[in-house]
Amino acid sequence: MKKEYDILVIGSGLGGLVSALILAKEGLKVCVLEKNNQYGGNLQTFSRDKLIFDTGVHYLGGLSKGQNLHQFFSYLEIIEELQLQKMDEDCYDKITFGDDEIEYPHAQGYDNFVEQLSKFFPEERENIENYCKEIQRVCNYFPRYNVVAQNNYNPDILHLNTKRFIKSITSNEKLQSVLLGSNFLYAGDSENTPFYVHALTVNSYIQSAYKCTKGGSQISKLLINKLRKYGAEVHKHSEVTEFVFSDNNLLSSVKTKDENEYFSKQFISNIEIRSAIKLIGENRIKKSFYNRVFSWEPTSSCFSVYLVLKPKSIGSFNYNVYHFLSKDLVWNSFKYKKEKWPETYMLSSTSSKHDPEFAESLTAISYMHFTEVKEWENTFNTIARQQDRNELYKKFKFEKAEKMIQALEIKIPNLRESIKNIYTSSPLSYRDYIGSFEGNMYGYAKTSENALKTMVSPRTKIENLFLTGQSVNMHGILGCTIGAFNTCAEILGKELIDERLLEILNQTNEN
């Protein structure tokens, strides 16, 4: 029997799940299709040695009461059930350099951010304050960043360049590097990254920074529970392989690899935009749009090393470390020299459940170009579709892990004897599990010179097909959540979405 839905969502990344839940809450008949064994895209976790490791979400910002992500998650009915641990208020991120013994803090709360950093740069206090004011000013110009209000982007804000802005704030080169020290969060490119990308990314963490104590996948699990509560269907192992169009150029159904066909009135694509275009077909897309999308530069991918530690061997720390071999590397750390890898890394720890003052595991991540794994690009390996890559690949991963451990030993001298087991993931892992082009971490690189080039409307030329997800506009938990609300505003109307979110804002104010 032919089964038809009101909304069919292709891909269960955060943007897809949030879009599906917003629409299901409005009484629409919703179905979500996911190709993998696990839902959630970048929210996916994996388990080794009975420990949980995050693949993409290592910490969240803006989750304190009254802040934007808290408001969005309140509307989605998941905020109360999230198990969170607030990170060190005086230092949620530490910025360190190989040639400097000082560890520079990024603190929670703007006044505290200024206070903690001014201890190391007392003569720069006013400049640090100006930096904080400008971040908040830029964020206020973005639609839905403050949940409701502000309908349009400000063109001047879009073209503000990160490098030029940071240099205009202070001439102190060390402070410039410290302020940019967490740019791994958006794969910062000093020559091109617009300042709004930096501002939107770091603002929510300065407001508040949290870890998911049970991994980022709890977000997707909670969203799926709510979807089912509202009558939505969610199917994994359901890879969409074909779009079927009607005579009047409307999308009528999709076919999956297992030969099922799903019919719907409207569709939302939460898969990588290039993959979506291939399913739509070049003949249905303007040549200019096709060329524009395929000219975008993907952001860098990464290589991750997950270390299971022996009990009570290394102290736990409630912050992230962003380390650079030198302060100058901050400007373009993704352009690393292969022979010096890792020139930069992000390091985080997970506390032991039994002995919280000790770490049970460490995760270290560094940039990696897809070219380094290109010789294995024709292989594909996930839990749902296993394929063993050759011994050369295993050797490659082993050597990279060894280099990472050597780099970490400078900071943690007793590390090697404290390691119980080592696991790794490469750009191929991210490509296969998340579906991002060449395993890129954050969609496509934005440029201040042509900011609109990589901005895509959620509404496509196909009347009943909409887009969401990190490859469309902003990345990250907050970026994808805001993007999903914007996608749904195209379907339900902006007024209805604003009305629903205003109800949440009013409830928060009353409480």
Side-chain angles (χ1 to χ4, degrees):
M1 190 173 113
K2 178 178 166 184
K3 197 169 183 181
E4 185 173 62
Y5 303 92
D6 296 315
I7 299 283
L8 187 76
V9 180
I10 304 149
S12 73
L14 181 64
L17 292 177
V18 171
S19 298
L21 183 51
I22 293 166
L23 297 165
K25 277 169 66 85
E26 294 301 324
L28 295 176
K29 191 176 179 184
V30 177
C31 178
V32 181
L33 301 179
E34 168 57 48
K35 71 172 184 175
N36 279 329
N37 184 55
Q38 191 179 152
Y39 301 111
N42 272 310
L43 295 169
Q44 291 177 73
T45 55
F46 65 93
S47 177
R48 296 288 184 274
D49 296 69
K50 297 181 180 176
L51 304 181
I52 293 172
F53 290 93
D54 278 296
T55 57
V57 177
H58 299 283
Y59 60 144
L60 306 168
L63 268 179
S64 286
K65 197 167 183 180
Q67 294 170 359
N68 52 12
L69 195 57
H70 188 283
Q71 307 279 26
F72 288 123
F73 280 8
S74 294
Y75 174 76
L76 297 168
E77 303 174 31
I78 66 170
I79 191 67
E80 299 299 333
E81 297 173 67
L82 275 178
Q83 295 187 35
L84 303 167
Q85 174 192 342
K86 196 164 194 186
M87 299 177 75
D88 189 329
E89 296 215 3
D90 290 338
C91 173
Y92 66 89
D93 280 345
K94 268 187 184 175
I95 314 302
T96 67
F97 307 100
D99 54 0
D100 187 347
E101 290 183 4
I102 298 172
E103 298 180 322
Y104 299 93
H106 286 186
Q108 297 183 54
Y110 274 102
D111 290 343
N112 195 27
F113 185 93
V114 173
E115 194 59 42
Q116 298 304 327
L117 215 45
S118 295
K119 291 176 183 176
F120 300 92
F121 302 97
E123 71 291 347
E124 296 281 336
R125 176 181 280 270
E126 188 179 345
N127 292 334
I128 298 169
E129 287 173 345
N130 289 336
Y131 164 81
C132 290
K133 286 174 189 170
E134 190 64 10
I135 282 183
Q136 294 170 88
R137 185 182 79 84
V138 166
C139 289
N140 286 336
Y141 277 107
F142 274 78
R144 224 170 280 289
Y145 194 82
N146 292 319
V147 186
V148 290
Q150 183 60 34
N151 294 330
N152 298 301
Y153 297 102
N154 180 316
D156 297 335
I157 296 297
L158 296 180
H159 298 294
L160 188 59
N161 177 270
T162 301
K163 184 175 187 177
R164 287 196 294 272
F165 172 76
I166 295 291
K167 289 196 168 187
S168 74
I169 283 288
T170 176
S171 59
N172 185 311
E173 292 184 358
K174 182 58 66 73
L175 178 57
Q176 290 173 3
S177 295
V178 170
L179 294 176
L180 281 173
S182 60
N183 68 3
F184 191 88
L185 290 166
Y186 54 89
D189 173 352
S190 68
E191 301 302 324
N192 296 305
T193 301
F195 181 65
Y196 81 82
V197 173
H198 174 87
L200 293 176
T201 304
V202 303
N203 176 65
S204 54
Y205 292 109
I206 296 176
Q207 287 181 334
S208 63
Y210 292 85
K211 284 184 177 181
C212 284
T213 51
K214 287 192 172 180
S217 62
Q218 66 172 300
I219 298 172
S220 54
K221 287 171 186 170
L222 289 171
L223 289 169
I224 285 163
N225 288 342
K226 297 300 174 188
L227 277 166
R228 288 181 172 142
K229 171 189 164 185
Y230 284 100
E233 291 182 24
V234 190
H235 302 287
K236 56 186 178 181
H237 302 296
S238 298
E239 182 178 355
V240 172
T241 54
E242 185 184 345
F243 281 4
V244 180
F245 289 87
S246 62
D247 293 339
N248 55 353
N249 201 38
L250 287 178
L251 188 52
S252 60
S253 67
V254 301
K255 292 181 179 178
T256 58
K257 197 169 189 177
D258 55 5
E259 298 182 353
N260 285 322
E261 188 167 8
Y262 296 82
F263 295 83
S264 185
K265 294 169 188 169
Q266 294 179 302
F267 299 78
I268 296 175
S269 171
N270 181 220
I271 59 176
E272 214 283 328
I273 191 166
R274 294 187 186 204
S275 302
I277 285 173
K278 285 174 183 172
L279 286 170
I280 294 166
E282 277 185 64
N283 59 319
R284 296 182 190 275
I285 289 171
K286 281 187 177 178
K287 191 70 177 170
S288 57
F289 180 74
Y290 179 91
N291 291 339
R292 176 156 70 102
V293 170
F294 280 80
S295 72
W296 294 348
E297 285 293 320
T299 56
S300 179
S301 189
C302 63
F303 188 90
S304 301
V305 178
Y306 311 95
L307 303 174
V308 177
L309 302 173
K310 295 173 183 174
K312 299 183 181 181
S313 59
I314 290 174
S316 180
F317 45 94
N318 195 22
Y319 52 81
N320 303 302
V321 176
Y322 289 94
H323 182 75
F324 303 84
L325 282 182
S326 72
K327 65 177 174 58
D328 298 328
L329 284 169
V330 171
W331 294 103
N332 273 316
S333 49
F334 72 98
K335 293 179 180 176
Y336 63 90
K337 291 184 175 68
K338 206 165 161 182
E339 61 277 9
K340 289 186 177 179
W341 189 93
E343 292 185 313
T344 179
Y345 59 76
M346 174 196 175
L347 176 67
S348 62
S349 81
T350 301
S351 298
S352 165
K353 296 173 193 68
H354 309 294
D355 302 288
E357 67 273 27
F358 291 99
E360 63 183 17
S361 67
L362 299 176
T363 299
I365 312 172
S366 188
Y367 291 112
M368 181 170 282
H369 304 146
F370 191 77
T371 52
E372 291 214 44
V373 293
K374 196 163 179 63
E375 63 182 287
W376 301 287
E377 70 175 331
N378 294 324
T379 63
F380 187 93
N381 183 41
T382 64
I383 294 291
R385 201 172 121 201
Q386 294 188 5
Q387 180 183 2
D388 192 31
R389 294 186 172 116
N390 61 25
E391 290 301 316
L392 209 57
Y393 178 69
K394 290 174 186 172
K395 181 173 180 282
F396 165 82
K397 292 211 298 179
F398 174 82
E399 289 171 354
K400 290 293 183 182
E402 183 62 26
K403 283 186 176 182
M404 179 66 85
I405 291 166
Q406 286 171 14
L408 294 175
E409 278 183 299
I410 298 168
K411 201 170 280 292
I412 311 171
N414 65 325
L415 176 62
R416 196 171 290 272
E417 66 245 36
S418 305
I419 297 171
K420 181 183 172 187
N421 274 317
I422 303 167
Y423 301 98
T424 59
S425 58
S426 79
L428 292 172
S429 317
Y430 289 95
R431 181 201 67 180
D432 293 355
Y433 277 97
I434 295 163
S436 57
F437 178 70
E438 294 188 343
N440 72 69
M441 289 189 284
Y442 307 122
Y444 293 91
K446 314 287 190 286
T447 169
S448 55
E449 295 304 311
N450 189 358
L452 296 175
K453 182 183 178 184
T454 51
M455 283 192 171
V456 176
S457 168
R459 185 180 286 278
T460 72
K461 296 297 179 190
I462 294 157
E463 199 177 310
N464 65 339
L465 174 63
F466 302 83
L467 304 173
T468 200
Q470 71 168 15
S471 66
V472 178
N473 278 310
M474 279 299 290
H475 67 272
I477 296 290
L478 182 59
C480 287
T481 300
I482 291 174
F485 276 88
N486 287 336
T487 298
C488 291
E490 294 288 337
I491 296 169
L492 298 171
K494 179 186 175 299
E495 296 75 17
L496 180 66
I497 293 292
D498 282 353
E499 186 183 319
R500 297 290 185 258
L501 290 170
L502 271 171
E503 289 170 10
I504 293 293
L505 287 175
N506 293 334
Q507 285 171 21
T508 304
N509 293 335
E510 286 168 12
N511 295 333

